[in-house]
Amino acid sequence: MRALLLAVSLVVSSTAVLAQAAITGVVLDSSGAAVAGVVIEVTSPELIEKLRTTISDGNGRYRLENLRPGTYSVRFAHAGLSEIERDGIELTGSFTATVDATLEIGPLSDTITVTTETSPLDVHGAKRELTLSDEIVRAIPTARSYNALVVLIPGVLTTSNDTVTGTATTAFPIHGGRTTEGRLLLDGLNVGSPPGGNSATSYSFDVGQAQEVTLTTSGALGESETAGLVMNIVPKAGGNSLRGSLFASGTGETFQWDNVTPELMAQGVTSATPFTKVYDVSGTLGGPVLAGRLWYFVHAHTGGSTRESTNVFYNLNAGEANAWRYAPDLGRPEYSDRTYENASGRVTWQATPRNTIGAFWDVQSLCRQCTGATPGLMDPARVSPEAVGVLGRRLDVTQATWSSPISNRLFLETGYGGTYFGAGNFEREPNPTRDLIRVAEQCASGCAANGNIPGLVYRSQDFSVAHAGSYLWKGSLSYVTGAHSVKIGYQHTLMTDDRTWYTNNQNLTYRVDNGEPNQLTQSISPWVNNARNAWDGLFVQEQWTHRRITLQGALRFDRARSWFPAQQEGPSRFLPTPIIIPETRGVNSYKDFTPRIGAAYDLFGTGRTVLKTSIGKYLEGAGVSGNYANSNPTLRMPQTTSAFGTAGVTRAWTDANHNWVPDCDLLDPAAQDRRASGSDLCGVMSNTNFGQNIVTNNFDASILEGWGVRPSDWNLGVSLQQQIGPRASVDVTYIRRAYRGYSVADNLALQPSDLTPFSIVAPLDPRLPDGGGYSVSGLFDVVPEKAGQVNNLVADSGRYGDWDQYFNGIDVTVHARIGRNLTLIGGTSTGQTVADNCDVRARVPELATTTTGTSAFGAGLMTSAVTTASPYCHVAYGVLTQVRGLASYVIPKIDVQVAATFQSKPGALLAANYAVPNALVVPSLGRNLSGNAPNVTVNLIAPGTMYGDRINELDFSVAKAIKYGRSRTRIALEAYNLLNSSAVLTYNNTFVPSGTWLQPLTLLTPRFFKISAEIEL
């Protein structure tokens, strides 16, 4: 058996050794003297091993860690002293409950049992976290998915601000953090997406079947790689009694309202975006195979939704080879649909009294039978149904764990967690658009002749065959005494990301302005991007309690690297000779030591007022993203289009003969004007080396390896927590985050003198700041003879100047459980992000933060990139405030439960992207735009100066519980967007004078009611 357990410990793994709850305290005798050698036994139905024991030290202190959430009893026993048992101790998350005891002189047979109500404050740790019990999660009106809960946390930004009706891949940075910093954990094991920096995927877990959900917002010690929000879902594991449940919920068009106001109709909104259906059905069963030895828990789930899109319709010209314009079928709105199906099983085996082994497998299918148009994160926001594929494929999550309390002071745990899934939009079967050229409407001067939808992509589908995997190992050893707790841990992650991108068989995309071509994109299809990433983390952390103060410290070592297997590109239309690339290293080795310290001080020794502080350095999450991915030779080859797609370049195009064929030599990168002979004008390629086996994005070796090179941030948190009732507290926290580690693409083919500065005058328009007419300066255009010349050196920003970004904010949160019936959780978060890279831009005027991904901060900050045509190098986003919370109340005697959630958050960051015609640029530039460009797009308003509608959403539910025997049925009526707010979520940011700038594109989902029922057996 020992050999078997050792073998298991070597093969099982995880991403983070997540701290669990603990019980600590001091044992005294009747004289107030410390009592050493007291045997403390902790029992709970949540422990398959039934009980855990420890012994008080010479100062009477004891501590037991790694306890699962639940209700516990603690028994104190010592020869010659009476026994005391304290019941009703509730543990959640990583909360440390203080349970002291005073033992009187008396026989051992005398046992005093006391029901204990512990303080709501954790006086023994600096971590800040919120725990939602399964009762709360099931009571509040939300979809039972992880992304429906993160939106309730003050300080979080998410990639979607609409009502959540089901699982969707959601980034959730907090306090101005990086988009990839959030972590979704299942039982302490990360479920991550490699291309998202190992942040959350589209994993569909029914959080209504979780034992609890813990959300850590700051102050984590050595277990954490990043400083982002960590959401840990603690699943149910079965038990010594047979239990099960059935759940169903749904809604349809009959239960929905309309929130399109006359004001919105005047802005061109024709209808809301109602759901045709939303449904969710699941069932669980758990219990013992062998009581106290082997537990199981199984779960099955299916759900989905279908809804119409705003102002986008099916294309009457879809599939027509000779039709080049979008013709909306006004009687057939576009729709989006999502379906989720999964089955999972968990087994917990108490192999010996000191060895517990667990295993879990979840098989999911996303959109197995979807037919609608559901854009993915990398797809255009506005896309006609024929031009988008099917989002999603199978996803598998597997886990294995082993834990062992080796002795009363030593605790060992190891684990493995794997995630494998299909990513992106897959090709429709059949795909009738393969031979058709894709078209995008710029709408630079209005587009009434072509659907009047700025940015619409139509006619042909781009797609990918992509699969990603994240495989995680962990191990940790804890040594715990009464006053000290030391943990040493190791973590390892291997990530795979294999992507092949496809476009149409012509390898072309046209850009049109009001249906007339003005630019084309040449692509190499298929285009392969395969990558691998691995990181190792080793940490040691200690906690020491002395009287009223607890000190915590951790030191973490990380090593991260990436590499790329052998790849082949071509042959294809614009790459006739294939390129074979051998296996290549990317990030050779990032190595970092990151210290973290924290303290908690019980100000008055009563456990009612606690001052906490924490400071630490954290890292950007390792993944197949940033420098780890961009150093792939296939992404360093000549191209100027997005890394998430086929390699391509753009060039201006005037279809002078109106035959919709670029009558130029497209293999020739130079500008060609053949209009005199009846052909076309084609501008210079945006990268004149396109299609050649050379590299035009070179990396400074010093940013791909070394100590302290990896992007990071320093986090400071200072909080005062005050108990305001038996189970109620308020927390006021100051947060500061400062970021470092930015990359710059310095085009060595250009000198500063090769970029001509110019300015433009904003059109007169009452919707612009001060009515328009102001100057926008700091713009640059490369001289014509250098157009398309690219020889980038990607280097650290510090080589060129200062680059600063920081966040300052204050959070105020309240957590109250009043009596047995009322729960209130919520608060505010107020803060501002400031970013400044003007020093770098002054030395590198061609600076484009989009090239190196250094603008990927916060879901709401993605539109504030700095480029030659976007001069806003110093941005203060404004002091913004969020209010979020939830409440639940059980009306006595009638057993009716009412619950609500509320969100109030800033609206969308607005832009005025004006395609300035060449003729209006010439007076300032002194010449035409290089590359025969017909226009240049300039944002007329500084980021952070204009925001859209504030988004206020109130959701409400009322439920009746019916009990009979051991069964309980709960029937609920839920109302979403109860006030029927019509807040605009996304806007048309394409500015056309007197045009449809800021026309609403999507609205908050109108009020709808949903019925749900759950039977617990």
Side-chain angles (χ1 to χ4, degrees), residues 32 114 148 153 180 190 379 402 411 422 486 522 547 651 852 856 913-914 940 1009:
V114 180
I153 307 304
T180 59
N190 193 50
D379 290 306
W402 170 43
F411 186 86
V486 179
Q522 298 174 222
R547 297 181 180 177
R651 64 195 311 171
T852 53
N913 298 320
Y914 177 36
L940 299 177
F1009 286 90

Side-chain angles (χ1 to χ4, degrees), residues 291-346:
R293 294 294 304 275
L294 185 62
W295 293 352
Y296 72 92
F297 189 85
V298 294
H299 174 254
H301 169 242
T302 183
S305 64
T306 304
R307 73 182 304 173
E308 293 181 3
S309 302
T310 305
N311 289 6
V312 179
F313 302 87
Y314 274 78
N315 185 4
L316 289 170
N317 290 331
E320 296 292 334
N322 296 317
W324 292 94
R325 293 190 175 181
Y326 169 75
D329 184 350
L330 299 179
R332 194 182 177 201
E334 179 187 73
Y335 69 92
S336 168
D337 57 349
R338 310 269 296 187
T339 62
Y340 312 89
E341 302 164 285
N342 81 289
S344 66
R346 180 176 296 274

Side-chain angles (χ1 to χ4, degrees), residues 660-797:
W660 289 90
V661 176
D663 295 311
C664 305
D665 180 3
L666 295 183
L667 291 176
D668 183 352
Q672 305 157 54
D673 190 350
R674 301 181 176 183
R675 288 176 292 183
S677 61
S679 295
D680 295 344
L681 168 67
C682 293
V684 64
M685 284 184 183
S686 55
N687 190 322
T688 56
N689 292 305
F690 180 67
Q692 300 180 45
N693 187 10
I694 63 174
V695 170
T696 57
N697 276 332
N698 295 285
F699 279 77
D700 183 344
S702 66
I703 71 165
L704 294 181
E705 62 181 342
W707 290 89
V709 177
R710 184 172 165 186
S712 61
D713 56 288
W714 279 92
N715 284 255
L716 170 67
V718 180
S719 64
L720 181 66
Q721 297 179 348
Q722 176 65 52
Q723 183 175 348
I724 57 176
R727 292 193 293 176
S729 63
V730 62
D731 181 329
V732 180
T733 302
Y734 166 75
I735 305 105
R736 178 176 174 84
R737 301 185 67 180
Y739 303 90
R740 64 166 302 279
Y742 303 98
S743 299
V744 171
D746 180 8
N747 189 352
L748 301 181
L750 303 179
Q751 298 297 319
S753 58
D754 294 326
L755 289 117
T756 308
F758 69 97
S759 62
I760 60 104
V761 176
L764 294 173
D765 192 305
R767 299 170 298 174
L768 290 173
D770 301 320
Y774 51 87
S775 176
V776 179
S777 59
L779 309 173
F780 296 93
D781 184 64
V782 67
V783 295
E785 56 270 24
K786 291 293 186 75
Q789 295 188 25
V790 180
N791 180 23
N792 284 333
L793 174 66
V794 181
D796 184 81
S797 62

Side-chain angles (χ1 to χ4, degrees), residues 964-1006:
Y964 43 94
R966 295 183 57 195
S967 300
R968 180 176 181 267
T969 299
R970 183 179 182 274
I971 301 173
L973 177 65
E974 302 173 356
Y976 293 85
N977 190 11
L978 181 65
L979 303 181
N980 205 31
S981 166
S982 56
V984 180
L985 302 181
T986 59
Y987 296 79
N988 169 27
N989 284 315
T990 299
F991 178 84
V992 175
S994 302
T996 58
W997 179 52
L998 298 186
Q999 180 186 49
L1001 299 182
T1002 60
L1003 308 178
L1004 187 64
T1005 297

Side-chain angles (χ1 to χ4, degrees), residues 8 12-14 189 357-360 398-402 414-417:
V8 171
V12 294
S13 74
S14 148
L189 300 164
I357 297 173
F360 173 76
T398 53
Q399 295 182 348
T401 58
W402 170 43
T414 62
Y416 161 82

